[in-house]
Amino acid sequence: MTYSEFGTRINNSQKEWKQRRRSSLEKKLGIDEDVQLNVNDVVNHPSHYNASGIECIDAIKAATDGGYEYYLQGNIMKYIWRYRYKNGLEDLRKARWYLNELIEAKEADGN
């Protein structure tokens, strides 16, 4: 894969992911698509993971390709492992976020 192809893949992945997340959030909150959301959501969209204009998860997805599911599984395990000792409910929510992402990845694969 060339550097240009990698960049294109990341950009496409970012656009798809943002639209999917925004649609899901709008549906859950019952708001229309013209409303701008400017809340720092530490579980779903932490601002420090989007400092360069692309969410870190999108870059990881593009870079790891077939290993993305293992990455997600590792993060699920990490957040469940430490929730009692670090961030409690926030870590459980993060584990759930990664689990939902893994489920979506498997559904997209048809598995």
Side-chain angles (χ1 to χ4, degrees):
M1 174 183 310
T2 67
Y3 182 77
S4 177
E5 290 170 331
F6 178 72
T8 300
R9 191 171 180 183
I10 288 175
N11 287 335
N12 290 340
S13 178
Q14 176 188 23
K15 289 175 188 173
E16 291 170 16
W17 185 84
K18 282 185 177 180
Q19 183 57 44
R20 192 172 70 236
R21 291 289 171 234
R22 182 173 177 89
S23 295
S24 175
L25 186 56
E26 288 169 351
K27 184 177 178 181
K28 287 177 187 174
L29 296 176
I31 59 176
D32 70 45
E33 60 192 45
D34 294 329
V35 175
Q36 294 293 319
L37 301 174
N38 294 318
V39 178
N40 183 19
D41 182 344
V42 297
V43 173
N44 297 299
H45 300 287
S47 61
H48 59 280
Y49 281 0
N50 194 17
S52 300
I54 183 169
E55 294 237 10
C56 182
I57 193 74
D58 294 321
I60 292 168
K61 183 177 183 180
T64 58
D65 197 29
Y68 182 61
E69 291 177 12
Y70 297 111
Y71 168 78
L72 296 172
Q73 182 180 354
N75 275 310
I76 293 163
M77 294 168 61
K78 172 183 73 175
Y79 285 115
I80 289 174
W81 187 278
R82 74 180 200 183
Y83 86 94
R84 290 184 196 188
Y85 312 107
K86 192 168 182 191
N87 296 321
L89 193 55
E90 180 180 315
D91 278 355
L92 290 174
R93 288 185 179 119
K94 288 179 180 180
R96 179 175 56 194
W97 186 94
Y98 283 102
L99 178 58
N100 288 337
E101 187 71 13
L102 180 57
I103 290 168
E104 287 181 23
K106 295 302 290 178
E107 289 174 344
D109 288 347
N111 294 325

